[in-house]
Amino acid sequence: MLCTFYSLPIVHPDSLLVITISGIGLALETFYLTIFILHSTREGRLKILAAEILFVVVVFIAVLLTAHTY
């Protein structure tokens, strides 16, 4: 997810190849998480997903507020 975010045009311009590969990786990660969600307990599922979502949101906000591309 972080690599896909890095390759977005608002963060890093002219990165078509990077976003293509990162998008494929994101699709594979989504497939893996779907399998994890189907076979995990409710408590484990909520802890892992909440931690991952919180981490990604914090990184997104930090990058968008501090990093400048010219």
Side-chain angles (χ1 to χ4, degrees):
M1 207 178 260
L2 292 175
C3 288
T4 305
F5 174 68
Y6 168 73
S7 60
L8 290 175
I10 60 172
V11 177
H12 190 269
D14 301 324
S15 57
L16 180 63
L17 294 176
V18 177
I19 198 164
T20 303
I21 297 299
S22 297
I24 292 169
L26 183 61
L28 291 173
E29 179 184 359
T30 302
F31 177 70
Y32 169 77
L33 285 175
T34 302
I35 292 172
F36 171 77
I37 288 170
L38 292 175
H39 296 288
S40 66
T41 63
R42 181 170 171 80
E43 294 93 20
R45 183 181 325 159
L46 292 176
K47 287 179 187 177
I48 296 293
L49 290 177
E52 183 175 348
I53 290 170
L54 179 66
F55 176 74
V56 170
V57 167
V58 167
V59 170
F60 282 11
I61 291 171
V63 168
L64 289 176
L65 293 177
T66 61
H68 302 285
T69 56
Y70 298 98

